[in-house]
């Protein structure tokens, strides 16, 4: 199932479409020169747990655990990631300024915060 979703996402990105978040605050990554910020998922934690970025910058999570993880916005402020297996990534582009909290739906004790500035 994850493979199908990944293929659809890649096809959409290659076609020049960008997918927008449910609430319209954050959007999926598309091509551009935006700065990329990395969040590593390791030992059942997001590292760094808190990150500050500017609107328009990319944010990429990479799973370094042997267990699958997800990235889910508490207020549905950006699109939920698919399940990420070891070394898989998920990228969004920071939208409107604000504070966004997220968690792993497989392991809800894993939480993180993104602060988006202008």
């Amino acid at each position: 199932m994850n493979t199908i979703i990944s293929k659809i996402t890649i096809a959409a990105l290659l076609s020049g479409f960008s997918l927008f978040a449910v609430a319209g605050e954050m959007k999926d990554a598309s091509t551009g020169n935006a700065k990329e910020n990395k969040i590593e998922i390791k030992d059942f934690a997001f590292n760094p747990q808190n990150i500050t970025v500017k609107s328009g910058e990319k944010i990429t999570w990479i799973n370094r655990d042997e267990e699958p993880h997800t990235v889910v916005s508490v207020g549905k402020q950006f699109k939920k990631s698919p399940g990420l297996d070891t070394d898989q990534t998920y990228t969004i582009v920071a939208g409107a300024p604000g504070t966004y909290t997220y968690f792993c739906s497989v392991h809800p004790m894993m939480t993180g915060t993104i602060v988006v500035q202008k």
Side-chain angles (χ1 to χ4, degrees):
M1 181 72 170
N2 288 339
T3 304
I4 293 170
I5 293 171
S6 296
K7 287 180 181 178
I8 292 169
T9 302
I10 290 169
L13 291 172
L14 291 174
S15 298
F17 295 103
S18 63
L19 305 171
F20 290 89
V22 175
E25 295 295 326
M26 305 275 270
K27 59 185 175 181
D28 284 333
S30 61
T31 58
N33 294 329
K35 176 183 172 192
E36 191 165 351
N37 301 280
K38 303 247 185 221
I39 300 172
E40 189 175 63
I41 303 169
K42 184 152 178 67
D43 299 325
F44 293 86
F46 295 109
N47 186 24
Q49 187 174 18
N50 302 304
I51 190 169
T52 300
V53 302
K54 292 188 182 203
S55 184
E57 290 182 345
K58 291 181 181 181
I59 305 163
T60 298
W61 289 264
I62 184 163
N63 183 11
R64 298 295 187 194
D65 276 340
E66 295 296 321
E67 298 292 322
H69 294 290
T70 62
V71 179
V72 181
S73 170
V74 170
K76 296 183 180 179
Q77 296 166 306
F78 56 85
K79 186 178 177 230
K80 172 184 169 179
S81 77
L84 302 175
D85 288 325
T86 304
D87 295 328
Q88 285 187 315
T89 62
Y90 179 67
T91 302
I92 62 172
V93 175
T99 300
Y100 303 88
T101 55
Y102 64 91
F103 65 100
C104 171
S105 62
V106 182
H107 310 98
M109 74 287 194
M110 294 174 54
T111 62
T113 304
I114 302 167
V115 175
V116 179
Q117 299 176 338
K118 251 184 168 178

